[in-house]
């Protein structure tokens, strides 16, 4: 378990180490923008902008951004565009890390399946060779002792995903 935890930590550390300076900068900015304090800051800034303009309009009969606050709308639109780009960039890097974790999980699952098949094979061999245990044919154990071919599993998954489901063909009736 400790070795697996270290491997996962190394995967994350390597991913972070491979990040370029602009990617780190974008992740830092996204981290700041994702905090509740930033939402409070934006709401306060918008409130001050609107309030300040309304007060100026009433007192000095001049406002730098009269209602309906076209400048405020432009600033908020530009800010939303930048935030969307930052989020997409950060998400792309997170997706890369997720892909690596998924690959590692798949490889571990395949290795575990191979180990389990080998164990079943050895137990079956021991059972047939041992004079104290009654020798019998166990079809289920024989099937479990054979290793799954990852290519066949992939083909079966692809076939299932491209085949229309039975429930869709039967209007919800169970097969």
């Amino acid at each position: 378990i400790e070795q697996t935890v270290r491997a996962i930590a190394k995967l994350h550390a390597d991913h972070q180490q491979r990040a370029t300076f602009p990617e780190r900068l974008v992740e830092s900015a996204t981290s700041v923008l994702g905090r509740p304090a930033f939402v409070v800051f934006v709401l306060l800034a918008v409130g001050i902008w609107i309030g300040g303009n309304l007060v100026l309009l009433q007192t000095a009969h001049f406002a730098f951004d009269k209602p309906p606050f076209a400048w405020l709308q432009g600033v908020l639109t530009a800010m939303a565009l930048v935030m969307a780009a930052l989020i997409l960039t950060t998400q792309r890097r997170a997706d890369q890390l997720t892909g690596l974790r998924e690959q590692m999980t798949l490889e571990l699952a395949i290795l575990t399946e191979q180990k389990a098949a080998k164990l079943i094979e050895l137990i079956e061999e021991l059972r047939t060779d041992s004079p104290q245990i009654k020798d019998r044919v166990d079809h289920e154990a024989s099937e479990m002792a054979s290793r799954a071919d990852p290519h066949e599993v992939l083909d079966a998954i692809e076939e299932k995903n491209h085949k229309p489901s039975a429930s869709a063909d039967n209007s919800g009736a169970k097969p």
Side-chain angles (χ1 to χ4, degrees), residues 74-94:
V75 167
L76 291 177
T77 300
M79 193 168 80
L81 178 66
V82 169
M83 287 174 66
L86 290 172
I87 291 168
L88 287 172
T89 303
T90 303
Q91 187 61 47
R92 182 189 56 80
R93 281 212 8 98

Side-chain angles (χ1 to χ4, degrees), residues 99-136:
L100 291 172
R101 280 195 313 249
E102 286 174 356
Q103 182 179 358
M104 187 171 82
T105 301
L106 179 61
E107 290 174 6
L108 287 172
I110 290 170
L111 181 61
T112 301
E113 186 275 332
Q114 290 172 346
K115 288 179 179 181
K118 183 63 176 177
L119 284 173
I120 293 168
E121 180 184 325
L122 291 172
I123 291 170
E124 281 300 296
E125 186 178 313
L126 178 65
R127 185 179 58 78
T128 57
D129 291 347
S130 177
Q132 292 91 5
I133 301 173
K134 181 183 171 187
D135 193 17
R136 62 181 173 78

Side-chain angles (χ1 to χ4, degrees), residues 6-175:
R6 279 196 303 265
I8 292 170
K10 184 180 180 324
L11 176 73
H12 284 261
D14 289 349
H15 181 72
Q16 188 61 30
Q17 188 178 6
R18 283 191 306 268
T20 63
F21 177 74
E23 288 172 333
R24 287 188 185 128
L25 191 64
V26 166
E27 286 178 1
S28 296
T30 304
S31 175
V32 169
L33 297 177
R35 294 187 179 150
F38 182 74
V39 174
V40 171
F41 170 77
V42 169
L43 291 175
L44 283 174
V46 168
I48 290 169
W49 183 291
I50 292 172
N53 275 293
L54 291 177
V55 167
L56 283 173
L57 196 60
Q58 292 294 323
T59 58
H61 302 291
F62 165 80
F64 57 90
D65 189 17
K66 294 179 182 175
F69 309 108
W71 281 98
L72 176 63
Q73 291 176 27
V75 167
L76 291 177
T77 300
M79 193 168 80
L81 178 66
V82 169
M83 287 174 66
L86 290 172
I87 291 168
L88 287 172
T89 303
T90 303
Q91 187 61 47
R92 182 189 56 80
R93 281 212 8 98
D95 288 346
Q96 290 172 346
L97 181 60
T98 299
L100 291 172
R101 280 195 313 249
E102 286 174 356
Q103 182 179 358
M104 187 171 82
T105 301
L106 179 61
E107 290 174 6
L108 287 172
I110 290 170
L111 181 61
T112 301
E113 186 275 332
Q114 290 172 346
K115 288 179 179 181
K118 183 63 176 177
L119 284 173
I120 293 168
E121 180 184 325
L122 291 172
I123 291 170
E124 281 300 296
E125 186 178 313
L126 178 65
R127 185 179 58 78
T128 57
D129 291 347
S130 177
Q132 292 91 5
I133 301 173
K134 181 183 171 187
D135 193 17
R136 62 181 173 78
V137 176
D138 187 342
H139 296 291
E140 186 177 10
S142 296
E143 285 181 26
M144 292 174 74
S146 65
R147 295 180 180 153
D149 179 9
H151 298 291
E152 287 180 15
V153 173
L154 179 61
D155 290 343
I157 290 170
E158 287 177 344
E159 182 180 320
K160 183 179 185 245
N161 287 337
H162 294 293
K163 185 187 236 183
S165 67
S167 60
D169 294 340
N170 297 331
S171 302
K174 292 184 179 179

